[in-house]
Amino acid sequence: MIRKHVFLAVAILISFSSISQVYTVKVAKLKYGGGGDWYTNKTSMPNLINFCNKNLKTNLFPEEDIIEPGDKKIFQYPFVHMTGHGNVIFNEGEAKNLRNYMISGGFLHIDDNYGLNQFIRREMKKVFPEHDFVEIPFSHPIYHQKYQFNKGLPKIHEHDNKPPQGFGIFHEGKLVCFFSYECDLGNGWEDASVYNDSESVRQEALKMGANLVQFAFSNY
């Protein structure tokens, strides 16, 4: 079993310090191949970061970095966010690097921005051929961090009249990847003017996003 990277543990301890006001940790967005719009939701991550810094007392850099799945620098980020609408392709090296990232302590959040589902399920089998996505029960700690979501993911945008679902990949009993489906969670993190969502809807999205970050940072 690959050992956890020391810098992740150090970063997590520092990031939750209420004493230091210096930005100490970065999170990232995944730039993947295949033609899908990995770059969508441009204001979502800065807004989530700001919300976490204010409400979780994290010290995250105000802007996310962009990281590719095969880049060894991915191990610098305890939390990586992935979104989009279209095709995704991981080559062999990228799949191996992503696997090593997650089993070494990194956490991947995949947010289906509508249309990603069929592609990401196929590609994640390259990363974890021995595991399938399983639906996360509402009792799981990821729904019960600072904010309580007793009924699971909030519904942000409607597409197919389906309930939102949270799926996960567990490796050796540990949740290493969370997939938000039929939810549009990242859309709810965007500036209010982008989708004209109500403030109550945006707050629910941001709170759930903060739960993801807190879970990722505290489960090493």
Side-chain angles (χ1 to χ4, degrees):
M1 177 179 176
I2 298 176
R3 295 178 63 187
K4 299 175 184 177
H5 289 261
V6 174
F7 68 84
L8 282 176
V10 173
I12 292 160
L13 289 173
I14 296 174
S15 69
F16 278 95
S17 170
S18 60
I19 299 174
S20 174
Q21 299 301 310
V22 178
Y23 299 127
T24 54
V25 181
K26 290 185 175 181
V27 295
K29 179 183 285 186
L30 194 69
K31 178 182 179 181
Y32 52 86
D37 53 346
W38 62 269
Y39 46 81
T40 193
N41 290 2
K42 295 185 183 300
T43 65
S44 64
M45 288 296 286
N47 285 339
L48 177 62
I49 289 168
N50 180 59
F51 184 88
C52 289
N53 283 346
K54 287 183 176 179
N55 295 281
L56 299 183
K57 307 305 179 185
T58 49
N59 289 319
L60 302 175
F61 280 83
E63 299 285 337
E64 82 275 23
D65 281 355
I66 305 300
I67 193 71
E68 297 184 11
D71 194 331
K72 297 300 183 183
K73 293 180 181 178
I74 197 170
F75 293 91
Q76 298 176 14
Y77 307 100
F79 180 89
V80 173
H81 171 73
M82 175 183 180
T83 190
H85 299 81
N87 193 27
V88 179
I89 295 177
F90 298 144
N91 63 36
E92 183 178 349
E94 290 171 336
K96 182 178 180 180
N97 198 50
L98 279 175
R99 178 186 178 90
N100 287 341
Y101 165 72
M102 282 182 271
I103 67 177
S104 298
F107 188 86
L108 177 64
H109 170 224
I110 305 167
D111 188 42
D112 183 14
N113 208 352
Y114 195 62
L116 190 67
N117 181 54
Q118 62 177 312
F119 304 111
I120 196 58
R121 287 181 179 272
R122 178 195 67 204
E123 294 306 295
M124 287 304 291
K125 288 300 289 184
K126 296 178 182 178
V127 181
F128 288 104
E130 74 275 36
H131 299 312
D132 294 316
F133 278 110
V134 296
E135 188 163 8
I136 306 296
F138 296 163
S139 59
H140 191 274
I142 204 161
Y143 294 124
H144 304 280
Q145 296 293 305
K146 180 177 177 64
Y147 302 104
Q148 300 299 309
F149 287 87
N150 295 322
K151 297 181 179 180
L153 286 171
K155 185 73 170 180
I156 306 304
H157 288 163
E158 185 62 67
H159 290 296
D160 294 324
N161 197 31
K162 296 178 181 179
Q165 292 177 283
F167 295 97
I169 291 177
F170 289 83
H171 181 76
E172 296 183 348
K174 178 182 176 182
L175 180 62
V176 297
C177 175
F178 184 85
F179 176 35
S180 44
Y181 176 64
E182 287 290 336
C183 173
D184 272 352
L185 194 62
N187 282 6
W189 303 342
E190 291 258 53
D191 288 349
S193 60
V194 176
Y195 294 106
N196 295 317
D197 290 325
S198 68
E199 187 57 26
S200 62
V201 167
R202 291 185 68 247
Q203 285 296 309
E204 286 298 288
L206 288 164
K207 288 176 180 179
M208 186 63 225
N211 271 16
L212 297 179
V213 171
Q214 188 171 41
F215 178 84
F217 278 29
S218 60
N219 279 267
Y220 294 94

